[in-house]
């Protein structure tokens, strides 16, 4: 299942404006709007639910402190939050980017899958995809999550990753190509 | 324009167009020279969102962390921005009062000694006010901070703004309401796609939350190709239902699967605006 909330930039900026003045409800609204994307990003990258939870809450606490210090952005909140999330994950695991590559929890199939066989197949395919993502190099994981999962634009992704747009084009192409190869290998292993 | 594109450029443009709701088939129409390479790449890329964690799980974590967020807001902003601006205003006000008093006393110009006597105590408080002035707003700030944990429990409905994207199988259809993962999604009652959507079809729906219902902005069929032209609909069910002429431009999957004989997609069959599909109704 995918439920994704894409930000409404005008509304986002309006909430941000109030949030910068310390308006609690505006900050909480931003938290609700961005929790899912930030948590999904952390959890796909980190794998462990508790660590992802800790990282996500720390990212929002950083955001609140940045509002107070007046270092939070005036616009383009989405890019800013993902940049903070990315840096925070690196800070957590060290700059050598030694992110865990195993320890995926078992995927719980959705309740909506009434047919157990369909449910099992779907769960296996999801599990395989997630395993494949985690086997990619960190930069490849990132570019795929930002471009395909979070649907950020090329330029937003480039800004977050500190690269040129052309470099992102090449990176995303190679990342998907590698993902395909890994998926093929995993499928062979499973069969 | 696509002629000078590298495969990297073409791939990037395809990603953007798919994000706007176009199908892989429709997008590849404009990149035929790369289509064979790009198709499996795009299909692999589209697997990524399917690896997301279930919304129910994420929402549970979100709710459980909300009190912490509210406490942090209270702690960080206690005596913060609001007190800061109030302090500034009061200092300006004090400065203005002092100026007025000094001017009034100076214009009187009666005795030399009283003005200096009154000016001294007036200026002195303005150097001490921080303590006195910040104390004034504190009583209003503190109750907010203590009230926040109770507020957290009542703010359960997530104030979703922006566009919601749901992708999943249709579990029920009731009139113009379809259900995907227990979310009710309303189509326009006259939407021609209503006649063709079936239970178990995998759809990608973009919409806006209106109360408990999501009002459709755009729908993309993921598990099956459906072409809509005015109030006509063609659904790629099987090889025995070939596309009508107006749908042939987008029935690439059917042509690939069910073999030739129909037409070449590069002909005039796609002249109904398929290549103009780069401007979806996803504006708002």
């Amino acid at each position: 299942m995918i439920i994704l909330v894409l930000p409404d930039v005008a509304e986002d900026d309006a909430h941000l404006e109030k949030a910068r003045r310390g308006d609690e409800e505006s900050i909480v609204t931003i938290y609700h709007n961005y929790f899912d994307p930030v948590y999904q990003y952390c959890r796909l990258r980190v794998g462990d639910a508790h660590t992802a939870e800790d990282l996500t809450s720390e990212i929002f606490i950083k955001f609140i402190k940045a509002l107070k210090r007046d270092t939070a952005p005036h616009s383009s909140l989405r890019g800013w939050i993902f940049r903070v999330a990315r840096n925070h994950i690196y800070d957590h695991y060290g700059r050598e980017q030694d992110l865990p590559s195993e320890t995926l929890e078992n995927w719980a199939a959705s309740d909506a899958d009434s047919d157990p066989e369909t449910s099992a197949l779907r769960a296996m395919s999801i599990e395989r995809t997630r395993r494949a993502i985690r086997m990619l190099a960190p930069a490849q994981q990132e570019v795929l999550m930002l471009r395909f999962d979070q649907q950020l634009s090329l330029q937003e992704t480039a800004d977050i990753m500190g690269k040129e747009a052309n470099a992102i084009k090449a990176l995303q192409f190679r990342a998907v190509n590698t993902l395909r190869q890994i998926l093929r290998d995993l499928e062979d292993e499973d069969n | 324009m696509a002629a000078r594109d590298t495969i990297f450029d073409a791939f990037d443009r395809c990603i953007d167009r798919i994000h706007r709701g176009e199908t892989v088939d429709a997008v590849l129409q404009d990149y035929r020279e790369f289509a064979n390479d790009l198709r499996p790449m795009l299909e692999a890329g589209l697997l990524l969102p399917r690896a997301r964690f279930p919304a129910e799980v994420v929402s549970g974590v979100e709710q459980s962390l909300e009190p912490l967020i509210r406490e942090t807001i209270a702690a960080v902003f206690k005596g913060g921005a609001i007190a800061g601006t109030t302090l500034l205003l009061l200092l300006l006000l004090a400065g203005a009062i002092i100026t007025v008093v000094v001017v009034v006393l100076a214009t009187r110009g009666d005795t030399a000694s009283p003005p200096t006597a009154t000016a001294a105590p007036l200026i002195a408080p303005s150097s001490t006010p921080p303590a006195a002035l910040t104390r004034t707003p504190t009583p209003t700030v503190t109750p907010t901070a203590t009230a926040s944990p109770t507020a957290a429990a009542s703010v359960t409905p997530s104030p979703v703004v922006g566009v919601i994207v749901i992708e999943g199988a249709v579990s029920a259809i009731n009139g113009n309401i379809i259900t995907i993962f227990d979310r009710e999604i309303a189509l326009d009652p006259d939407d021609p796609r209503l006649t063709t959507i079936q239970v178990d079809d995998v759809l990608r729906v973009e919409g806006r939350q209106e109360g408990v219902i999501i009002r459709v902005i755009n729908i993309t069929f993921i598990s099956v190709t459906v072409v809509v032209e005015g109030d006509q609909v063609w659904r790629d069910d099987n090889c025995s239902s070939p596309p009508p002429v107006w749908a042939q431009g987008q029935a690439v999957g059917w042509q690939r699967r069910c073999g030739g004989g129909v037409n070449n997609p590069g002909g005039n069959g796609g002249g109904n605006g398929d290549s103009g599909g780069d401007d979806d109704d996803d504006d708002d």
Side-chain angles (χ1 to χ4, degrees):
Chain A
M1 164 177 45
I2 304 169
I3 298 182
L4 189 64
V5 180
L6 302 177
D8 180 321
V9 176
E11 294 230 32
D12 235 20
D13 288 354
H15 288 305
L16 194 54
E17 174 71 27
K18 288 185 190 166
R20 294 167 64 82
R21 285 183 260 129
D23 182 80
E24 181 175 342
E25 288 316 312
S26 296
I27 300 172
V28 172
T29 301
I30 290 171
Y31 164 76
H32 283 304
N33 289 347
Y34 281 95
F35 186 88
D36 182 89
V38 172
Y39 179 80
Q40 296 278 3
Y41 176 76
C42 290
R43 191 154 171 199
L44 270 172
R45 295 223 57 202
V46 164
D48 170 64
H50 292 295
T51 311
E53 203 172 309
D54 288 347
L55 288 170
T56 308
S57 60
E58 286 159 14
I59 289 161
F60 281 104
I61 288 169
K62 274 192 170 185
F63 168 62
I64 295 165
K65 288 180 176 168
L67 286 170
K68 169 73 175 160
R69 284 197 308 265
D70 205 22
T71 52
H74 290 262
S75 59
S76 308
L77 181 58
R78 188 159 70 142
W80 187 89
I81 281 200
F82 276 109
R83 200 160 35 247
V84 170
R86 174 180 190 260
N87 291 338
H88 197 63
I89 290 173
Y90 283 157
D91 288 346
H92 186 83
Y93 284 102
R95 282 282 155 185
E96 63 278 9
Q97 307 181 2
D98 191 17
L99 293 166
S101 59
E102 287 301 325
T103 70
L104 272 174
E105 306 102 306
N106 288 329
W107 171 262
S110 165
D111 294 340
D113 295 329
S114 48
D115 172 18
E117 199 176 336
T118 315
S119 166
L121 280 172
R122 191 171 294 174
M124 200 159 71
S125 136
I126 291 166
E127 168 67 22
R128 195 184 293 138
T129 307
R130 294 172 66 210
R131 205 148 37 111
I133 295 169
R134 302 285 301 286
M135 289 166 78
L136 293 168
Q140 292 186 338
Q141 288 183 32
E142 267 176 19
V143 79
L144 292 189
M145 284 177 205
L146 296 175
R147 281 293 274 146
F148 281 95
D149 187 31
Q150 298 301 330
Q151 304 193 358
L152 266 69
S153 71
L154 181 74
Q155 194 55 55
E156 279 178 308
T157 307
D159 291 345
I160 290 167
M161 295 186 68
K163 292 182 188 292
E164 294 292 324
N166 276 336
I168 295 294
K169 280 186 192 173
L171 179 63
Q172 70 190 7
F173 188 87
R174 280 195 288 271
V176 175
N177 217 7
T178 313
L179 180 73
R180 279 182 59 216
Q181 286 162 13
I182 295 173
L183 279 170
R184 224 179 293 137
D185 292 347
L186 290 177
E187 209 171 329
D188 290 346
E189 267 177 36
D190 290 346
N191 291 332
Chain B
M1 181 168 72
R4 279 184 56 84
D5 275 349
T6 64
I7 194 164
F8 292 164
D9 295 321
F11 184 57
D12 186 63
R13 286 180 212 278
C14 289
I15 296 171
D16 283 337
R17 287 175 58 178
I18 288 169
H19 287 170
R20 290 201 297 267
E22 291 187 58
T23 62
V24 172
D25 280 344
V27 164
L28 290 179
Q29 287 282 301
D30 294 339
Y31 297 98
R32 289 184 195 169
E33 68 275 36
F34 299 128
N36 287 341
D37 294 320
L38 290 184
R39 179 181 297 283
M41 300 277 288
L42 292 168
E43 284 169 353
L46 290 174
L47 287 173
L48 258 105
R50 291 180 174 79
R52 293 171 71 80
F53 291 84
E56 312 84 75
V57 174
V58 179
S59 163
V61 181
E62 182 180 337
Q63 298 296 332
S64 71
L65 288 176
E66 189 180 322
L68 170 69
I69 295 299
R70 287 189 183 270
E71 279 165 26
T72 307
I73 297 168
V76 168
F77 281 94
K78 191 171 73 175
I82 295 165
T85 47
T86 314
L87 176 65
L88 187 67
L89 286 172
L90 288 172
L91 282 172
L92 286 171
L93 187 66
I97 291 170
I98 291 164
T99 314
V100 169
V101 169
V102 169
V103 168
V104 167
L105 290 174
T107 47
R108 253 194 226 160
D110 290 338
T111 50
S113 50
T116 33
T118 40
L122 270 173
I123 291 164
S126 71
S127 59
T128 33
L133 293 174
T134 34
R135 209 174 292 133
T136 336
T138 319
T140 48
V141 172
T142 325
T144 333
T146 41
S148 58
T150 29
S154 62
V155 190
T156 359
S158 170
V160 174
V161 296
V163 178
I164 296 176
V165 181
I166 297 182
E167 190 173 311
V170 175
S171 58
I173 303 169
N174 187 6
N176 67 322
I177 307 286
I178 61 171
T179 308
I180 299 178
F181 292 110
D182 294 333
R183 306 244 175 168
E184 294 194 328
I185 298 157
L187 281 86
D188 187 304
D190 298 326
D191 192 320
R193 290 170 294 194
L194 267 175
T195 57
T196 199
I197 295 175
Q198 298 173 6
V199 168
D200 286 339
D201 278 354
V202 178
L203 306 181
R204 175 193 159 95
V205 177
E206 291 167 38
R208 280 191 186 280
Q209 191 86 45
E210 288 182 8
V212 291
I213 278 189
I214 293 165
R215 183 77 51 190
V216 165
I217 297 172
N218 193 28
I219 289 187
T220 308
F221 288 77
I222 302 289
S223 56
V224 61
T225 301
V226 169
V227 184
V228 182
E229 174 72 12
D231 56 359
Q232 295 177 295
V233 181
W234 172 76
R235 181 183 170 101
D236 180 3
D237 279 319
N238 49 50
C239 286
S240 61
S241 61
V245 175
W246 52 264
Q248 282 171 7
Q250 292 180 58
V252 183
W254 188 93
Q255 284 154 7
R256 192 160 38 91
R257 244 183 24 256
C258 306
V262 182
N263 76 335
N264 60 328
N268 59 3
N272 57 14
D274 62 317
S275 60
D278 55 345
D279 187 24
D280 267 5
D281 53 346
D282 58 351
D283 47 353
D284 225 3

